[in-house]
Amino acid sequence: MIGNFVLFLSLMSGTMCFLTGTTTNERKQYAMYVWRDGFDPQIPGCDQTDFLTWDSKHSPCFTHTWNTREKRQWLWATCNLPGREVSSIYLADIYHKLKPGFHANSCAGSDITLLRTTLLEGHTHVSNLNIYALFAASDADVSERRMVPYVVWYNDHCTKTDLEKFDGVAVNNEAYASIKCSHDVSQRTTFLDRLQDVYNEAQKQRRGKLLTHFSVSWHWGQCGGHSQPFLWNGKTMDASRHMIDIFDSIDVQVGYTLFPQIGDRMELAGLNYSSRHHKRTYVTFYTDKTEPCQITFFPQTCHLSGRSESHLFNVIDQFSQNGLGHIHPCIHYFRGVYSSGGHADWPAHL
């Protein structure tokens, strides 16, 4: 069993202390994905061997990341880690919790209550935290555009205070990768039209502004190693820049853990363009087990060194010296493996 597991259990069984020692001006502004399930060493028998196997689909070692008070306390404490504070989270498992109430036009029910409690806690215990409802249908039809009205309805009808509202909607749709080199430009423009619908639906909220966020891969504007510009909405640019235009913020999946590749891929994804247009931009780093090994910090056999939380933070600390001083890091994802406590190199931040 991992060395810090006893400490993990004692903290989980007691009263959680929220780490609020830093002032707003001193806080970092990281982003973090919070998918529905994450590794959970509190489950009996779930040790480092299970962690390294990482069978997230079938193993009992993966539990919901925010559906209990204890799990949410773990999340808020992670957001408040001194010097590594998180200011935006993309929270999954929202669609099925909002859908029944939306169609019944009823704010009653345990799922709506859970959302109100979660949002209130997050906004109360994490300074200036933006909480986005995360949708990831990831289809060419961009079905996420039909989910945004659920959030608009919830914010306008089910919340008693602004602290119970979502600050934005985030979309993680990977379908563009399959059409980025299509000779049929209408496939690409139609995809962008549907992304624009995400933004347009968000603007229908009557009480306050609902922010929009999108995740892009660094190579989506490229085909065969060359820029692939096309006309859409009166501009001829590559897809990455069109996507930057649509949304309030983006995160770029750079697919690498070292410089100079990180910086090079950010440039290809439209870093200068997003900066000129004052769009908040994040570099997304993967920590979960995936292939090829150079795209993740997961501690697996790899020809590249540096597969720990300390190495992740070291890369983030190199942003300024590599021309990314105005860019923010995004960690993918909470308890997968970041703050999981499933490995000595990946402690749980409680």
Side-chain angles (χ1 to χ4, degrees), residues 111-127:
D111 283 340
I112 297 294
T113 299
L114 174 61
L115 288 175
R116 290 177 55 202
T117 299
T118 299
L119 290 158
L120 177 61
E121 283 183 6
H123 288 131
T124 300
H125 294 294
V126 184
S127 297

Side-chain angles (χ1 to χ4, degrees), residues 25-204:
N25 290 335
E26 295 172 333
R27 293 177 65 88
K28 300 296 183 181
Q29 296 183 42
Y30 293 13
M32 182 171 67
Y33 276 84
V34 183
W35 292 106
R36 186 189 66 184
D37 298 323
F39 189 82
D40 189 349
Q42 188 183 18
I43 303 301
C46 292
D47 56 16
Q48 185 166 295
T49 299
D50 296 292
F51 174 92
L52 292 172
T53 303
W54 201 260
D55 185 7
S56 59
K57 292 184 178 180
H58 305 102
S59 171
C61 299
F62 291 79
T63 63
H64 202 286
T65 53
W66 58 270
N67 67 346
T68 68
R69 179 177 179 271
E70 291 73 23
K71 300 294 175 55
R72 293 193 299 274
Q73 289 172 335
W74 188 354
L75 173 58
W76 311 140
T78 300
C79 291
N80 282 321
L81 180 66
R84 307 292 176 180
E85 296 88 358
V86 172
S87 63
S88 295
I89 61 172
Y90 312 124
L91 191 68
D93 197 25
I94 303 302
Y95 170 68
H96 292 293
K97 287 181 168 48
L98 286 178
K99 183 178 178 180
F102 175 82
H103 287 291
N105 194 27
S106 171
C107 296
S110 58
D111 283 340
I112 297 294
T113 299
L114 174 61
L115 288 175
R116 290 177 55 202
T117 299
T118 299
L119 290 158
L120 177 61
E121 283 183 6
H123 288 131
T124 300
H125 294 294
V126 184
S127 297
N128 295 328
L129 179 66
N130 282 331
I131 304 176
Y132 292 73
L134 173 60
F135 299 126
S138 211
D139 55 14
D141 191 47
V142 190
S143 295
E144 295 91 346
R145 62 198 167 110
R146 300 189 185 93
M147 303 173 187
V148 176
Y150 296 178
V151 178
V152 172
W153 167 80
Y154 165 83
N155 278 359
D156 280 341
H157 297 283
C158 298
T159 58
K160 294 183 178 180
T161 73
D162 286 346
L163 295 178
E164 295 178 348
K165 294 168 64 174
F166 285 101
D167 301 285
V169 290
V171 172
N172 185 276
N173 186 309
E174 305 289 342
Y176 190 79
S178 64
I179 62 171
K180 69 170 190 169
C181 294
S182 174
H183 294 295
D184 182 2
V185 177
S186 67
Q187 286 188 298
R188 288 179 268 154
T189 58
T190 297
F191 191 88
L192 292 179
D193 289 339
R194 291 166 178 167
L195 289 181
Q196 182 67 53
D197 286 342
V198 171
Y199 180 86
N200 294 343
E201 290 296 330
Q203 306 320 300
K204 295 179 181 179

